[in-house]
Amino acid sequence: RQLRGELLAVEAQDHSWWVQPGNPCLCLFDVDRTLTGKQDYKIGCKNNKVEPHIHDTGYGGGDLTLSELAQHMRSSVCGEHCIVGIVSASSEKDRSGGMLDKLKSIVNGGPMKFGCLPSEKPTCASDIAKQYRFQLKNVYFFDDVKANVEYFQPTQMNARQVTCKRDPWKKDLGLLGATRAEASLTKGVHTCR
């Protein structure tokens, strides 16, 4: 086990293998209400999947509810053409156990950065891009909160607000989580209308 861990640590130091002709872009996703939907909320969420044995601590907690995108990441345009990862305000400690394992699986072991305050999400995304040698113009960020997307305006990165159906109790939050169709490689910064 120790030898395996050492090998993984050595492999992780050289990220040049991430950027290959088949993976010229980096898609980064927020977790709460982007890769997940409102916990235990089933009205109008026929495409979401509740994971009853995995606890999600976000926004009051409950059973982990995966968005349609999270369930089908590999068949999304991001999953088919890009490296996928996570940039989230929540702490890694909050995502421990089964939920962290599920998130790693969703992004196929891609980069994950937790504890990024909303205004720092562009910096966190840029740090990942530099670490993995992606050009900023080939970075795509997805979040359910309008302000978090707007923070990307002065950068060369692309950002899109997803989950445009709002939570009726917390209007600034998404409700159902993102769909595969919302994970598009559209240049620029775009918010819900």
Side-chain angles (χ1 to χ4, degrees):
R1 288 185 187 203
Q2 186 176 8
L3 178 61
R4 174 87 174 128
E6 289 172 11
L7 288 173
L8 290 174
V10 170
E11 290 171 358
Q13 290 173 7
D14 178 17
H15 304 295
S16 59
W17 59 271
W18 278 91
V19 183
Q20 301 171 8
N23 298 83
C25 49
L26 174 65
C27 289
L28 298 170
F29 298 89
D30 172 54
V31 174
D32 296 317
R33 308 294 175 88
T34 300
L35 294 179
T36 67
K38 182 176 175 65
Q39 297 94 330
D40 304 315
Y41 186 80
K42 295 173 179 58
I43 300 170
C45 301
K46 66 180 180 186
N47 293 325
N48 283 5
K49 179 182 177 188
V50 176
E51 297 277 351
H53 303 293
I54 301 176
H55 185 71
D56 178 0
T57 60
Y59 300 118
D63 289 335
L64 174 63
T65 302
L66 296 175
S67 69
E68 190 256 349
L69 172 65
Q71 296 172 67
H72 305 286
M73 180 66 77
R74 287 186 179 98
S75 63
S76 72
V77 69
C78 284
E80 290 178 349
H81 300 287
C82 306
I83 297 298
V84 293
I86 289 173
V87 169
S88 177
S90 61
S91 72
E92 189 170 352
K93 186 180 99 175
D94 290 341
R95 303 298 180 203
S96 60
M99 184 162 180
L100 187 59
D101 291 340
K102 181 58 85 172
L103 292 173
K104 286 177 184 175
S105 172
I106 290 167
V107 298
N108 200 26
M112 301 170 73
K113 192 153 185 155
F114 294 92
C116 300
L117 296 175
S119 63
E120 295 173 356
K121 286 185 175 186
T123 301
C124 291
S126 177
D127 289 348
I128 291 172
K130 288 175 187 168
Q131 181 179 6
Y132 291 88
R133 300 183 186 143
F134 282 97
Q135 294 179 356
L136 293 181
K137 69 180 183 176
N138 293 329
V139 175
Y140 299 85
F141 175 74
F142 303 89
D143 199 304
D144 66 300
V145 177
K146 182 179 181 181
N148 295 350
V149 169
E150 291 175 334
Y151 287 125
F152 282 77
Q153 285 285 6
T155 74
Q156 296 175 4
M157 293 177 282
N158 308 286
R160 180 171 178 179
Q161 184 182 10
V162 294
T163 313
C164 292
K165 185 171 183 175
R166 304 283 83 197
D167 184 328
W169 299 278
K170 295 182 179 178
K171 299 278 187 207
D172 60 328
L173 300 178
L175 181 63
L176 307 179
T179 65
R180 275 182 287 191
E182 290 177 306
S184 68
L185 302 180
T186 306
K187 296 289 186 183
V189 175
H190 305 276
T191 57
C192 299
R193 299 200 186 319

